[in-house]
Amino acid sequence: MPKKPATLATPDASLPYEAAYARLEALVESLESGEVSLADLVTKFEEGHQLLKICQTHLRAAELKIEKLQLDDAGEPAFVPLDEESES
């Protein structure tokens, strides 16, 4: 009897980065195994694409919060947001 294709598991956008990344890694390993039917491959690819978007969103948010410590014009230490670093 043919195996029934997996249904698309839509990842929750509030999924923490670590959980989304771990699930994405598991999907990649599964796809690389070569033992996935075409229907399952498409379903897993779509889920992986959604997980990738979630991971990218988390990374962008973290990047915006990162600050760099540098000296200001008066020689005093000051925190400068990462996106302003390129303007100095």
Side-chain angles (χ1 to χ4, degrees):
M1 181 187 315
K3 189 175 174 184
K4 188 176 179 181
T7 57
L8 180 61
T10 304
D12 184 359
S14 66
L15 194 63
Y17 173 82
E18 293 79 6
Y21 188 79
R23 177 66 185 143
L24 185 56
E25 280 186 320
L27 280 173
V28 169
E29 286 178 18
S30 172
L31 293 172
E32 289 177 342
S33 75
E35 298 177 10
V36 179
S37 71
L38 181 59
D40 285 345
L41 186 130
V42 171
T43 300
K44 288 181 179 196
F45 178 83
E46 290 171 347
E47 181 182 357
H49 186 260
Q50 292 173 345
L51 288 164
L52 179 61
K53 285 188 199 176
I54 291 169
C55 288
Q56 288 173 332
T57 299
H58 283 296
L59 289 173
R60 269 189 237 110
E63 186 177 62
L64 292 174
K65 293 178 183 177
I66 294 174
E67 296 179 323
K68 180 180 178 182
L69 180 62
Q70 66 183 35
L71 298 178
D72 63 14
D73 294 333
E76 296 294 319
F79 285 103
V80 178
L82 183 64
D83 58 344
E84 292 180 12
E85 177 183 339
S86 59
E87 296 173 10
S88 354

